[in-house]
Amino acid sequence: MAGQFDAIPGGGASVVLDEVEIAILRSLAVQLLELVGPGDEPVDGEDPLATLFSEGPSEPPADPALARLFPDAYGGPDVKPDDEESRAFSAEFRRYTENDLRARKRDDALAVIRALDALTLVGDEGAVLKLSPEESQRWIGALNDLRLAIGTRLEVTDEDDGGELYRLPDSDPRKPMVMAYLWLGGLQESLVETLMP
């Protein structure tokens, strides 16, 4: 069934995607790359070891979607550290981890784009995407990041049961984003369930 991952021999997963689904997933992954940004690229001729240990930003992102993707280590995604010591610890943690986290999120989104670009459509039947276990993990990460970013834009909270989203009229400008959010959730859930032992 389209949109549901199935297990394949060797521990990977497969899913049938039609042309529209491929285009939507690719577009969203590209937007995620743009949102996450290029990060701090090493300067030509710079010592690779120095680059590896370079410090990242110490302040949380101003964009709410980025703040959700890169939350403070102390306090949680919706809770700002309330004392000076917690803010200092969060800044220190961010300085040494955010660059690596950004790189991983970029790599996950690029893995999605590359996998989709390698597909060959077969008429109206769509294309079969086959993922190795490692590729499946990257897809889980990218699908999660996409849902977090879209959910933040839709102002979805942990307490929401999604009922309000299901009841949006078709005329609501948020409807396409809601449909993408719900669809990505179904894809992510089926991929996780497929990979569970």
Side-chain angles (χ1 to χ4, degrees):
M1 180 166 106
Q4 296 291 315
F5 279 92
D6 293 310
I8 59 174
S14 70
V15 66
V16 176
L17 298 170
D18 65 29
E19 188 174 3
V20 172
E21 292 169 326
I22 293 167
I24 291 169
L25 277 170
R26 190 180 193 293
S27 174
L28 290 172
V30 167
Q31 291 176 53
L32 180 63
L33 276 175
E34 292 170 355
L35 178 66
V36 170
D40 295 330
E41 299 297 324
V43 177
D44 285 339
E46 187 174 318
D47 177 12
L49 190 58
T51 302
L52 181 64
F53 292 103
S54 65
E55 294 182 7
S58 59
E59 294 296 319
D63 182 321
L66 281 175
R68 184 75 171 122
L69 292 173
F70 305 105
D72 276 324
Y74 298 88
D78 299 323
V79 181
K80 299 291 181 214
D82 57 357
D83 61 63
E84 197 62 40
E85 186 177 46
S86 292
R87 282 192 291 278
F89 287 150
S90 286
E92 189 75 1
F93 184 82
R94 182 178 299 281
R95 185 175 11 263
Y96 293 109
T97 61
E98 188 170 310
N99 284 344
D100 288 340
L101 187 56
R102 277 183 188 269
R104 194 196 84 229
K105 290 180 183 302
R106 281 192 305 274
D107 289 345
D108 290 350
L110 279 171
V112 168
I113 293 167
R114 288 180 181 132
L116 295 171
D117 286 350
L119 292 177
T120 302
L121 290 167
V122 180
D124 292 339
E125 297 174 24
V128 178
L129 172 70
K130 292 183 180 178
L131 301 173
S132 69
E134 296 80 21
E135 291 169 325
S136 296
Q137 293 302 317
R138 291 203 174 276
W139 270 70
I140 288 172
L143 290 171
N144 186 61
D145 290 342
L146 286 168
R147 290 193 74 241
L148 286 173
I150 293 170
T152 302
R153 297 286 191 242
L154 291 170
E155 298 179 353
V156 173
T157 64
D158 291 338
E159 294 79 32
D160 289 339
D161 64 358
E164 180 183 325
L165 296 178
Y166 288 109
R167 292 187 296 273
L168 283 179
D170 289 343
S171 60
D172 192 304
R174 298 172 295 165
K175 187 73 172 198
M177 202 168 15
V178 168
M179 298 306 294
Y181 176 78
L182 297 172
W183 176 60
L184 291 169
L187 275 178
Q188 181 184 14
E189 183 178 354
S190 76
L191 181 54
V192 169
E193 288 174 356
T194 298
L195 298 175
M196 291 176 74

